[in-house]
Amino acid sequence: MKITCLLCALSFSGAAFAANSTPNPSWWNKYQYLLQHGPSALASSTGLTVGTNVDVSNECGPQSETFIAIDPSHPRSVAAGSNEIFRLPMRGYFSTDGGGSWGGVDLPLPPPLNGTHDTRFGSDPSLAFDSLGNVFYSYIVVFFGGGNGVDGTEMAVARSSDGGKTYPGVTFFSFATGGDHFNDKPMITVDTGATSPFHDRVYVAWDAASGGSSAGGIRVGASADHGATFTVTRADGPTGPG
């Protein structure tokens, strides 16, 4: 299949939404326009030729919010992750042949908050490699209160030293109760700059504002010990709406 020209696609999108008189277009607006008008004839037919699709999950049921990372030191080593819709844990994937074939593994979850509230699940995967070949997998853990709303959320960062085949170590931090802010949508990265004074430091940022207190905001966790511990600070203005 062909990947169309990004600039052509962007110019088409702008023209499409302008013609549709939509000041703040959403994915639904885009779908409705394409449904009525079809794809743009201006889209480029040239581009990068890629191989056939590969079934990465090899599982029944749906997965969502996929994320993929490539080891910059060994480009054929690839790690990925996704939500599991019908199961509790996060799902991790790994490939040693540049994505030609894949294996899978479940990411760890913490113990339940108490014996009656055993429904907790992982969500929102994000992955990054450091310069040593370790892969860091961040996600949130949501604790459900037995049908009585959310008991709490917390951050999780798991580390793998074998390219994502196993995740024996995980750090859980920044727990917030259901009545406080909701930890959401983390994104992780590693400083791999060879001359950086913060070389291989791990950073994860997330939204702690939705549905909670003014003490939420945008949080950033930094780890100088390969994900064993994280120091958390707030990145946005503390006097803002949270």
Side-chain angles (χ1 to χ4, degrees):
M1 61 182 170
K2 302 288 186 179
I3 298 175
T4 58
C5 169
L6 176 60
L7 292 178
C8 291
L10 290 175
S11 63
F12 154 67
S13 298
F17 296 133
N20 209 26
S21 300
T22 304
N24 297 299
S26 68
W27 65 267
W28 179 253
N29 300 132
K30 178 177 180 178
Y31 166 68
Q32 290 298 317
Y33 184 90
L34 292 173
L35 186 65
Q36 298 171 27
H37 299 87
S40 173
L42 299 177
S44 171
S45 61
T46 62
L48 178 67
T49 300
V50 299
T52 57
N53 290 337
V54 177
D55 186 350
V56 173
S57 65
N58 295 299
E59 289 193 304
C60 297
Q63 292 77 38
S64 67
E65 297 193 332
T66 56
F67 200 99
I68 193 167
I70 300 174
D71 185 346
S73 300
H74 302 88
R76 293 183 65 79
S77 177
V78 188
S82 73
N83 293 344
E84 286 280 11
I85 302 302
F86 295 153
R87 300 198 301 119
L88 296 180
M90 299 298 299
R91 190 67 173 167
Y93 311 101
F94 57 90
S95 174
T96 59
D97 58 5
S101 60
W102 294 82
V105 62
D106 285 343
L107 274 291
L109 290 174
L113 293 180
N114 59 59
T116 60
H117 295 173
D118 196 28
T119 304
R120 67 241 188 265
F121 70 89
S123 185
D124 302 1
S126 180
L127 296 91
F129 280 89
D130 67 8
S131 67
L132 302 175
N134 297 307
V135 59
F136 297 89
Y137 189 135
S138 70
Y139 51 104
I140 63 171
V141 178
V142 182
F143 299 88
F144 274 106
N148 297 313
V150 174
D151 278 351
T153 59
E154 68 182 358
M155 290 294 305
V157 174
R159 187 182 75 176
S160 172
S161 59
D162 55 11
K165 296 178 182 178
T166 61
Y167 289 89
V170 60
T171 302
F172 299 109
F173 59 100
S174 287
F175 176 84
T177 65
D180 196 1
H181 56 267
F182 187 95
N183 294 305
D184 194 26
K185 204 57 183 176
M187 300 293 286
I188 196 167
T189 190
V190 181
D191 184 349
T192 55
T195 61
S196 171
F198 307 108
H199 182 68
D200 277 342
R201 187 165 295 190
V202 183
Y203 300 94
V204 58
W206 69 98
D207 172 15
S210 178
S213 69
S214 61
I218 304 300
R219 303 290 179 87
V220 178
S223 176
D225 54 10
H226 305 289
T229 60
F230 283 85
T231 300
V232 178
T233 58
R234 182 173 176 177
D236 64 324
T239 60

